Amino acid sequence: MAKHIVVIPGDGIGEEITAGAVKVLQKIDEVCHIGLTFEKKPAGGTAYDLCGSPLPEDTIEAAKKADAILFGAVGGDKWDNVDPKLRPEQAVLGLRKALGLYVNLRPVKVPEVLAEYSPLKPDIVTGTDVLIVRELVGGIYFGDRCESEIHNGVERAWDLENYSVPEVQRISTFAMKAAQKRRHKVTSVDKANVLATSRLWRRTVIDVAKDYPDIDLNHFYVDNCAMQLALNPKQFDVIVTSNLFGDILSDEAAVLGGSIGMMPSASIGEMTSLYEPIHGSAPDIAGQGIANPCATILSAAMLLRYSLDEDVAADKIEKAVDAALADGWRTPDLYKEGFKKADTQKMTDVIISKIQ
Amino acid sequence: MAKHIVVIPGDGIGEEITAGAVKVLQKIDEVCHIGLTFEKKPAGGTAYDLCGSPLPEDTIEAAKKADAILFGAVGGDKWDNVDPKLRPEQAVLGLRKALGLYVNLRPVKVPEVLAEYSPLKPDIVTGTDVLIVRELVGGIYFGDRCESEIHNGVERAWDLENYSVPEVQRISTFAMKAAQKRRHKVTSVDKANVLATSRLWRRTVIDVAKDYPDIDLNHFYVDNCAMQLALNPKQFDVIVTSNLFGDILSDEAAVLGGSIGMMPSASIGEMTSLYEPIHGSAPDIAGQGIANPCATILSAAMLLRYSLDEDVAADKIEKAVDAALADGWRTPDLYKEGFKKADTQKMTDVIISKIQ
Ligand SMILES: CC(C)[C@H](C(=O)O)[C@@H](O)C(=O)O
Ligand SMILES: CC(C)[C@H](C(=O)O)[C@@H](O)C(=O)O
C-alpha cells in the first residue's frame, strides 16, 4: 500500500533542504520498496504572500490525510510587520493544533565526530544521547490569554498556563514508553516549588510511572535542568516537560549538542505526524544552495521510523549520514580546514551514495 | 551614621559562608569607616524547626528596618515532606514579596582565571561580562493560581502569567540605567511570538527605551536566548526579562560562566535590598568548613555598592578576591593540582589579608 507524504517546504532554505530529503527518501524507496508518494503544499510567509494566510485550508486538509508530513522551516524578517495572527510561525502553531501533534521529540546525540562543533568542552559533551519529550498542544501556548485589560487601574496582559491530568498522563506515558526502548530513565522537569500546574504535573507523572516499574524516574526544577544540561548532559536519557519549558530546554540542548544543522525533530499526533529540522529558515543564505540538508534528512529518517514503522530504512539513512561525515564531507556551516566542502546538492548526493 | 545589616544565614552552609562574609565586611569597615552594625535572624528550614515558620514575623520586621540584608541559602532534603507553604524556599519568595524586591541582579563575569571552570570552551567564554536583570515580584510567580479544579470534565491546575505596564516600565528603566553604567546595550527577552504578556512586555520596553537614546536595545525570544548564551555569551551586556524566564536564563548563564561558587546576586527593592550567593545550601557539605565563601563575599561587595553607595569599599573586596585567586588559593570545589587548597576560614583570611 502506498504511503503518502505531504511536503511543506515553507520559507527561506525550506525549499532546498526538503528537496534534498525527498531525494533521499526516493532513493530509500527504491532500495526498500515502501511505495512513497509525495505532494507539495505551501505554508508560512510564502503562503501568506501567495494567498493571504500562513496556513491555507488546503494545506491543513492535505496534511490531515497524509501518512506523514515533511516540513522545512518558516519565517523571515520580511514578514516582521505582518499582523501577529498571520505571521509565518502561526503555520507551525496552527498545524500542531489542527493535527493534534501532542508530542515534540527532540533527540540530541553527540558522537565524537560532532563534539568539536559543540560550545561545550569535548569531555563533557561527547557521548551525550538525550531525548527531549515536549508536550506540544497544551500549556501556556494554547491557554486563554488577554492582550490588554485594565486591572487595579493599570493596563495589564495575561496568559494562562494550564494542564489537565489526562494531558499529563498522555505525554508522560509517551515518555515512559520511549525510555523503555532506551536506557530506562525519565527526568520530569517542572517548577513545582512555585507553580500549581507543576505540582499537578509532578503528581500525575509519579502516578503514571507506577505502571512502569522498570523506569527510573527523577524530577528536576527547570532552572536546575538548564544548569545540568550544560554541566553534565550525559546524565540524561529521556526528559519530559511542558510546552514552554520544553521550548527553552530543547533549544539549549540542541546548541550544546553541537551543530543545529544536524538536529532533527518529530511532532507526533494520533492521526499523523510532522517531521522537521530544528534550525530555522535562514533567509540570509536562502536560494544559494549551501544549506546543510542533514537535519532534514535525519528528520526524514525519523518519519520512516515513527510514522511508517520502517526501522530498517531509517537506520540506512542515519548510517549514510554518519558515513558521509566520517568521509570528511561538510557543508559550509561545519566546514573547517582539512575537510571536503559540500553544498546542499553534493551533501545530498554523497548521503544517497552511501545508502546500501 | 551607622549602617545596619541584617544577616540571615538560613540552612546548610549558610552559617559558614555568611560568617566569612561578615568578617570581610568588618575588616572593610575598619579600613573605610562605614560604621556597620550586624544582627542575625533565622529563616528557612532552620527557622521552621525553631518556630514552625520558614519566615518568622520577627525576621521580616528586622529585614524591613535594615539598611541591607545579607542572606546565605535555604533548603535541604530534610524538609522535602513539609507542607509546600512552609518549605524553606517560601522564605525566599516571602522576603521578595514583603520587601518588594523587584529586581534580581545576576552578574556573570568570566575572567581568564575562572574560564577553565566553565563547561564552555575557553575561547567562547573568556571575557564574558553580562548582567541579568530579572523581574522578581511579578509574573507567574505571584499571579493567581489554582491547584485543582474540574474543567470540561477533567481535573486541571492553572497559574496566571501576568504583567502590567508599570511593572515592565519599572524593571526596564532599571535595566536601561544599569546599561548606561556599562556597555550601553540591553537585550530584552520574551516569547512575543506566543504570549500576550510578552507582547505587552516588548512594546513597553520599546517605549521606555525612547527616553534612553544612548542605549542599543534588541529583543530575543527566550528559546533563542537560551541558545545564544551557550553559543556566544560575549554578545550580551544587560539582559532584562520576566521572573520565570529570568529564573531559567540566569541559572544557565551562571553555570556557563564557570563556578557557581563564585556567583553573587542582589535583589533590589525601594526600601531595602538583599544580597546572596546563587548557589544553594549544599546540605551534603554543611558544617565541614569547606564551602567556598567567595560568592557570599562578592554579594557583600554588591551590598556595599548598591545599598550603601560605598563603591570604593566594594572595589577593594572584589580586588581582594581576584588577588586571592591570582595567588593560587582555591576552595575544594575549584581545587586542581598545582593550586593551594583553602577551606572556608583560610579563603576568608586570605581575602581579608588582601584588602588594602
Ligand atoms: C515558532 C515558535 C512558535 C515555536 C515554539 O515556540 O514552539 C518554535 O520556537 C519551536 O520550538 O518550534
Ligand atoms: C527557590 C526558588 C523559588 C527560587 C526561584 O525560582 O526564584 C530560586 O530558584 C531562585 O532563582 O532564587
Side-chain angles (χ1 to χ4, degrees):
Chain A
M1 208 184 69
K3 296 290 178 186
H4 191 59
I5 297 175
V6 165
V7 180
I8 304 180
D11 307 323
I13 58 171
E15 193 69 53
E16 298 148 66
I17 55 176
T18 51
V22 167
K23 271 196 223 159
V24 170
L25 284 170
Q26 282 166 335
K27 167 72 185 184
I28 271 292
D29 201 13
E30 279 171 32
V31 177
C32 301
H33 310 290
I34 307 167
L36 299 176
T37 57
F38 299 92
E39 179 186 16
K40 220 158 97 171
K41 290 289 171 187
T46 317
Y48 171 80
D49 288 346
L50 213 67
C51 60
S53 158
L55 184 58
E57 265 312 313
D58 173 52
T59 299
I60 300 181
E61 284 318 307
K64 277 189 179 162
K65 285 185 221 126
D67 287 297
I69 300 143
L70 185 69
F71 193 89
V74 293
D77 299 350
K78 198 185 152 189
W79 302 283
D80 265 2
N81 295 320
V82 171
D83 171 0
K85 290 198 187 79
L86 295 174
R87 281 205 209 138
E89 55 258 50
Q90 293 304 320
V92 174
L93 297 172
L95 277 170
R96 289 177 191 165
K97 200 67 188 177
L99 305 175
L101 307 175
Y102 70 100
V103 190
N104 188 230
L105 285 184
R106 296 267 294 249
V108 176
K109 229 174 152 163
V110 190
E112 213 169 325
V113 57
L114 287 181
E116 65 172 299
Y117 298 105
S118 169
L120 293 180
K121 288 174 179 156
D123 58 313
I124 293 180
V125 79
T126 311
T128 294
D129 181 3
V130 34
L131 178 67
I132 301 192
V133 176
R134 168 187 174 193
E135 200 290 327
L136 204 58
V137 291
I140 202 164
Y141 272 67
F142 294 100
D144 290 341
R145 63 181 104 256
C146 169
E147 299 288 334
S148 173
E149 69 176 17
I150 300 299
H151 179 79
N152 295 337
V154 292
E155 183 189 359
R156 74 163 186 179
W158 56 260
D159 302 88
L160 197 73
E161 164 73 338
N162 69 110
Y163 271 106
S164 72
V165 168
E167 282 175 312
V168 181
Q169 282 169 338
R170 181 166 69 161
I171 192 77
S172 49
T173 300
F174 193 101
M176 299 291 157
K177 289 190 171 148
Q180 283 182 322
K181 291 191 194 159
R182 294 170 48 98
R183 302 194 308 281
H184 292 80
K185 193 173 160 189
V186 172
T187 301
S188 171
V189 176
D190 61 38
K191 187 76 194 176
N193 49 351
V194 176
L195 305 180
T197 317
S198 285
R199 287 186 281 269
L200 179 143
W201 177 282
R202 191 177 284 215
R203 69 177 148 84
T204 306
V205 174
I206 290 172
D207 233 44
V208 166
K210 288 185 186 139
D211 290 337
Y212 299 86
D214 55 329
I215 298 296
D216 174 14
L217 171 69
N218 65 0
H219 305 270
F220 275 22
Y221 295 136
V222 60
D223 45 337
N224 187 31
C225 188
M227 295 210 261
Q228 296 299 325
L229 276 172
L231 286 174
N232 180 14
K234 280 181 261 191
Q235 73 186 284
F236 296 108
D237 179 11
V238 171
I239 292 177
V240 62
T241 192
S242 67
N243 207 343
L244 183 63
F245 295 159
D247 179 47
I248 302 169
L249 296 176
S250 61
D251 273 0
E252 181 189 349
V255 295
L256 292 177
S259 167
I260 59 164
M262 299 298 302
M263 303 285 171
S265 80
S267 300
I268 310 277
E270 310 275 7
M271 312 290 293
T272 190
S273 302
L274 179 151
Y275 302 83
E276 62 178 319
I278 72 139
H279 60 68
S281 58
D284 50 317
I285 59 159
Q288 297 177 34
I290 58 168
N292 186 347
C294 290
T296 317
I297 290 169
L298 291 169
S299 300
M302 291 186 86
L303 180 158
L304 291 167
R305 176 167 290 120
Y306 290 101
S307 281
L308 308 185
D309 259 324
E310 296 281 351
D311 283 17
V312 173
D315 281 350
K316 279 186 197 295
I317 293 182
E318 285 163 359
K319 285 201 180 112
V321 172
D322 286 348
L325 292 173
D327 256 18
W329 290 100
R330 298 287 186 277
T331 42
D333 53 320
L334 300 182
Y335 180 77
K336 291 185 183 175
E337 236 194 89
F339 289 105
K340 294 181 269 192
K341 205 184 254 183
D343 60 11
T344 313
Q345 174 85 52
K346 178 72 194 173
M347 195 72 189
T348 306
D349 290 344
V350 172
I351 291 167
I352 288 174
S353 77
K354 302 281 182 192
I355 290 177
Q356 283 161 347
Chain B
M1 208 183 69
K3 296 289 178 187
H4 192 59
I5 297 176
V6 166
V7 181
I8 304 178
D11 307 322
I13 57 171
E15 193 70 50
E16 299 149 65
I17 55 177
T18 51
V22 167
K23 272 197 223 158
V24 171
L25 284 170
Q26 281 165 335
K27 167 73 186 183
I28 271 292
D29 201 12
E30 280 171 31
V31 177
C32 300
H33 311 290
I34 306 167
L36 299 176
T37 57
F38 299 91
E39 179 186 17
K40 220 158 96 172
K41 290 288 171 189
T46 317
Y48 172 80
D49 288 347
L50 212 68
C51 61
S53 159
L55 185 58
E57 266 310 313
D58 173 54
T59 299
I60 300 181
E61 284 318 308
K64 277 188 178 162
K65 285 184 223 126
D67 287 298
I69 300 143
L70 185 69
F71 193 88
V74 292
D77 298 352
K78 198 183 152 190
W79 302 284
D80 265 2
N81 295 321
V82 171
D83 171 358
K85 289 196 188 81
L86 296 174
R87 282 207 207 137
E89 56 258 49
Q90 292 306 318
V92 174
L93 296 173
L95 277 170
R96 288 177 191 166
K97 200 65 188 178
L99 306 176
L101 307 175
Y102 70 100
V103 190
N104 187 230
L105 285 184
R106 296 266 294 249
V108 176
K109 228 173 152 162
V110 189
E112 214 169 324
V113 57
L114 287 181
E116 65 173 300
Y117 298 104
S118 170
L120 293 180
K121 289 174 180 157
D123 58 314
I124 292 180
V125 80
T126 311
T128 293
D129 181 3
V130 33
L131 177 68
I132 301 193
V133 176
R134 168 186 174 194
E135 199 290 326
L136 204 59
V137 290
I140 202 164
Y141 273 66
F142 294 99
D144 292 340
R145 63 181 103 257
C146 168
E147 298 289 333
S148 173
E149 70 175 16
I150 300 300
H151 179 80
N152 295 336
V154 293
E155 182 189 359
R156 74 162 185 179
W158 55 261
D159 302 89
L160 198 72
E161 164 73 340
N162 68 109
Y163 271 107
S164 72
V165 169
E167 283 176 312
V168 181
Q169 282 169 337
R170 182 166 68 161
I171 191 76
S172 48
T173 300
F174 193 101
M176 299 291 156
K177 288 190 171 150
Q180 283 182 322
K181 293 191 192 157
R182 295 170 47 97
R183 301 194 309 282
H184 292 80
K185 194 174 160 188
V186 172
T187 301
S188 170
V189 176
D190 62 39
K191 187 76 193 175
N193 49 350
V194 176
L195 306 180
T197 317
S198 285
R199 287 186 280 270
L200 179 142
W201 177 282
R202 191 178 283 214
R203 68 177 149 88
T204 306
V205 174
I206 290 172
D207 233 44
V208 166
K210 288 184 187 140
D211 290 338
Y212 298 86
D214 55 329
I215 298 295
D216 174 14
L217 170 69
N218 65 359
H219 304 270
F220 275 21
Y221 294 136
V222 60
D223 45 336
N224 188 32
C225 188
M227 295 210 262
Q228 296 300 325
L229 276 172
L231 287 174
N232 180 14
K234 280 181 261 191
Q235 74 185 284
F236 296 109
D237 178 12
V238 171
I239 291 177
V240 62
T241 192
S242 67
N243 206 342
L244 183 63
F245 294 159
D247 180 47
I248 302 168
L249 295 177
S250 61
D251 273 1
E252 181 190 347
V255 296
L256 292 177
S259 167
I260 61 166
M262 300 297 302
M263 302 285 171
S265 80
S267 299
I268 310 277
E270 310 275 7
M271 314 289 293
T272 190
S273 301
L274 180 151
Y275 301 84
E276 61 178 319
I278 73 138
H279 60 69
S281 58
D284 50 318
I285 59 160
Q288 297 178 33
I290 57 169
N292 185 347
C294 290
T296 316
I297 291 169
L298 291 170
S299 299
M302 291 186 86
L303 181 158
L304 292 168
R305 176 168 288 121
Y306 289 103
S307 281
L308 309 185
D309 258 323
E310 295 281 351
D311 282 17
V312 173
D315 280 349
K316 279 187 197 292
I317 293 182
E318 285 163 359
K319 285 203 181 109
V321 172
D322 287 348
L325 291 174
D327 255 17
W329 291 100
R330 297 286 186 278
T331 42
D333 54 320
L334 300 181
Y335 180 76
K336 292 184 184 175
E337 237 193 88
F339 288 107
K340 294 181 270 193
K341 205 184 253 184
D343 59 10
T344 313
Q345 175 85 52
K346 178 72 194 172
M347 196 71 189
T348 306
D349 291 344
V350 172
I351 291 168
I352 288 174
S353 76
K354 301 283 182 190
I355 289 178
Q356 284 160 349

